[in-house]
Amino acid sequence: MPLITLPDGKSIDFPKKVTGLEVAEKISKSLSKQAVIISVNEELKDLSYVIDKDCYIKIFTSKDKEGLETIRHDTAHITAMAVQELFPGTQVTIGPIIENGFYYDFSRKEPFTEEDLNKIENKMKEIVDRDVPTTREVWSRNKAISHFKKKGEIYKAEIIESIPQGEDVSIYFHGDWHDLCRGPHLLSTGKVGKYFKLTKVSGAYWRGNSNNEMLQRIYGTSWASQKDLDEYLKKIEEAEKRDHRKLGKEMDLFHFREESPGSVFWHEKGWKLFQKLIAYMRGRQDKAGYKEVNTPEILDRALWEKSGHWEKYGEHMYTSETPDEKIFAIKPMNCPGHIQVFNQGLKSYRDLPLRISEFGKVHRYEPSGALHGLLRVRAFTQDDAHIFCTEDQITEECLIVTNLILDIYKDLGFENVILKYSDRPDLRVGDDSVWDKAEKALLDAVKASKLEYSINKGEGAFYGPKIEFVLRDAIGRDWQCGTLQVDLNLPGRLDASFVDNDGSKKIPVMLHRALFGSLERFIGILIENYAGKFPFWITPLQVVVIPISEEFNTYAKEVNEKINHAGISSVVDLKDHNLNYKIREHSISKIPLLLICGKKEVDSNSVTIRRLDTNKQENMDLKLFLKKFSALNKASSN
């Protein structure tokens, strides 16, 4: 006689055991048609799950995150079914959901082609039309290993062998085809719908180990409606046009080489953009009371061991042993160095808060397959800062930092910002009373922003709670950039202290703060957000002066000199090409303003302005041009 309690607090008493689908039908026929899965006492289950005792349940539809993820999980299974029907002998491995879709890894000698993907998609639609039922069986571990080995599925058997002895395993059947899976799943293949698309094939090592076999990974996306799928595919198409790697080459900003994987070779214009962002940040931080420092890139292993980074990040650190047998590591982060700066000289409570900043170059090993242009590198520059304060100053400092970060994002065109707040994990350091104060301080800062936010229970760092700042770009993609973390651990490990007003020695609280995160990654995001068409004030090359013929070269040079003197970045193009060729070339490079100089301009001491993405031209007195556009640069530095 299970008593089912619903999210709104209402209860339904059933005379006998009941399935999730029957509960949905009892509530309403329309809900039963839309239902995808349920949760029983917060544990996700299939709609066919039998409930035989009192519990709390929630019903999910495709509009819910959990429901959409289940659709994608089923689509991954249907992908594997289709592959094995079309290409017998192919082994399946793993097929998890990922953001916006899923992937499935296969072991097959012949590579999958674009034509194969089309065939697989068509076969998937056939499987959906068959509407075969989905059922779940629980097998013993040994039975499952034996079964998959007999089938020739050695990878699947290896996965099951890693499950502890004595544990049962969950097997899902879609008709006769079956796979190891914890679930949950839809009631049948027909419930998936046909709103999916296989997007690409790539290589992936078995279990992420480069010593293992290279598998073939098929990526796909799956949605609850054709409208959602079409919108996503359109977004992907637009994202490809905005790819910072493609635009970086066209705009002559940077490149990468195999001789230094994951490290950027900045070209003149790219480096100018980099330096403009640093100059802007430096100005904002100076006004906010930060003291900029510079700390060594190479530090003794002993310091990293004392800080705890060696144990947690050792495998991602670049190390070197000197002839005197000392081991040094290139820094993967700036925090230990900043504490060494803080530790120089006696500090009083009157010195706090002390805000230390650095544009510090750091190095972290990333697997080659994880590298992705500017967005995932091995060498990068952090706009790092650490604020040393008392416990009573945490709240005010968190509010100040949050406001600064949001204001800087606004200046750079990002007003749609989402905050993610993470509180104490089960394993942590520090007194609960200090955690209470730190968590309240961060949450107050989050609420004061009046922005959308989410709370990630238990996902803070072991040393303190944190806020992540997520930017939403021009085509609706989210990018996690800035962070603000309260650290109740590291200052004590590295012997930081200050003398309080009662004469006692206290350990300061340290706030870790990054606004861009990584300069390299943020520039990649900027390129893609603006499709290379930056706001005028951060554009590395703002103007190109073009004489319409050699006769007007002298005037063009004079104009260019005056523009540069006014603080506007400009060059003159004297190359032996016709005017239309030059306009096309500089438009591809996303130069905001092209200034055409001919007889009319010489006679009137003016320039003819051609703006990016328009064929319209505007003649303007040169003095007015200098005043108007130099003001745009000055406004950005205020």
Side-chain angles (χ1 to χ4, degrees), residues 247 249-253 269 531-534 539-541 544 582-592 594 612:
L247 292 175
K249 183 176 181 180
E250 291 176 357
M251 298 170 68
D252 191 24
L253 300 178
K269 285 191 282 187
K533 302 164 191 173
F534 301 120
T539 302
L541 180 57
V544 174
K582 291 179 179 181
I583 289 173
R584 186 169 61 254
E585 178 186 36
H586 297 305
S587 296
I588 290 172
S589 296
K590 306 292 187 292
I591 307 301
L594 304 182
L612 185 61

Side-chain angles (χ1 to χ4, degrees), residues 198-214:
L198 300 183
T199 54
K200 65 178 180 179
V201 181
S202 71
Y205 292 110
W206 169 234
R207 295 197 158 180
N209 188 331
S210 59
N211 295 319
N212 291 337
E213 181 192 349
M214 174 68 78

Side-chain angles (χ1 to χ4, degrees), residues 472-616:
R472 185 157 290 166
D473 73 9
I475 59 173
R477 296 173 301 176
D478 290 345
W479 303 91
Q480 193 274 310
C481 289
T483 57
L484 173 58
Q485 295 178 278
V486 179
D487 193 335
L488 311 172
N489 173 60
L490 192 58
R493 289 188 71 136
L494 296 183
D495 306 319
S497 66
F498 69 96
V499 178
D500 208 352
N501 58 359
D502 62 0
S504 64
K505 184 182 284 190
K506 297 280 181 66
I507 298 173
V509 174
M510 184 167 74
L511 306 183
H512 300 254
R513 185 235 69 186
L515 290 92
F516 296 150
S518 148
L519 268 292
E520 288 77 2
R521 183 170 178 272
F522 194 80
I523 288 173
I525 294 168
L526 274 178
I527 293 170
E528 297 201 4
N529 180 65
Y530 287 108
K533 302 164 191 173
F534 301 120
F536 186 78
W537 66 276
I538 59 167
T539 302
L541 180 57
Q542 297 166 317
V543 174
V544 174
V545 183
I546 306 175
I548 61 174
S549 68
E550 189 176 344
E551 177 184 352
F552 305 106
N553 282 2
T554 299
Y555 180 71
K557 290 177 182 177
E558 292 173 358
V559 167
N560 183 62
E561 185 177 341
K562 290 177 180 178
I563 292 172
N564 278 300
H565 187 70
I568 302 168
S569 177
S570 173
V571 297
V572 60
D573 186 347
L574 303 177
K575 294 193 294 291
D576 189 20
H577 293 132
N578 65 47
L579 182 61
N580 287 336
Y581 178 92
K582 291 179 179 181
I583 289 173
R584 186 169 61 254
E585 178 186 36
H586 297 305
S587 296
I588 290 172
S589 296
K590 306 292 187 292
I591 307 301
L593 301 175
L594 304 182
L595 304 188
I596 314 300
C597 298
K599 187 176 186 308
K600 178 179 71 174
E601 289 75 24
V602 171
D603 292 343
S604 59
N605 195 35
S606 65
V607 289
T608 293
I609 305 169
R610 184 186 176 106
R611 298 174 188 267
L612 185 61
D613 288 341
T614 180
N615 293 324
K616 293 181 181 179

Side-chain angles (χ1 to χ4, degrees), residues 247-412:
L247 292 175
K249 183 176 181 180
E250 291 176 357
M251 298 170 68
D252 191 24
L253 300 178
F254 60 85
H255 78 277
F256 291 89
R257 291 188 62 84
E258 290 182 3
E259 291 86 347
S260 186
S263 299
V264 189
F265 288 79
W266 289 106
H267 301 184
E268 180 189 4
K269 285 191 282 187
W271 190 241
K272 187 172 286 186
L273 171 61
F274 190 99
Q275 292 299 326
K276 279 193 170 193
L277 286 173
I278 284 184
Y280 165 74
M281 278 289 299
R282 182 172 282 133
R284 294 301 304 264
Q285 291 184 158
D286 284 348
K287 291 177 182 177
Y290 285 83
K291 301 180 185 300
E292 186 174 333
V293 301
N294 186 265
T295 57
E297 288 192 28
I298 300 176
L299 293 161
D300 193 296
R301 169 179 174 168
L303 179 64
W304 299 111
E305 288 177 332
K306 189 173 182 181
S307 72
H309 290 96
W310 188 268
E311 179 184 354
K312 292 186 177 297
Y313 297 100
E315 63 182 13
H316 300 292
M317 295 168 72
Y318 290 92
T319 60
S320 176
E321 185 170 352
T322 56
D324 59 358
E325 298 184 347
K326 280 197 170 186
I327 296 177
F328 291 85
I330 302 176
K331 65 179 177 180
M333 51 202 60
N334 297 305
C335 9
H338 286 189
I339 294 178
Q340 303 314 306
V341 173
F342 178 88
N343 286 347
Q344 291 302 297
L346 189 66
K347 296 294 185 298
S348 158
Y349 69 96
R350 293 189 182 90
D351 298 314
L352 306 184
L354 180 60
R355 307 178 185 104
I356 295 176
S357 68
E358 178 175 10
F359 297 100
K361 189 70 171 284
V362 298
H363 299 259
R364 298 178 190 173
Y365 174 75
E366 295 278 359
S368 298
L371 300 177
H372 182 77
L374 296 176
L375 302 180
R376 195 76 176 265
V377 291
R378 290 176 175 170
F380 54 96
T381 304
Q382 286 187 309
D383 61 326
D384 219 358
H386 294 91
I387 301 166
F388 298 87
C389 63
T390 67
E391 291 176 13
D392 292 336
Q393 293 169 334
I394 295 174
T395 299
E396 184 179 1
E397 285 303 306
C398 287
L399 285 168
I400 292 170
V401 169
T402 300
N403 290 334
L404 176 64
I405 291 176
L406 295 176
D407 197 41
I408 287 171
Y409 289 160
K410 186 176 180 180
D411 278 358
L412 289 161

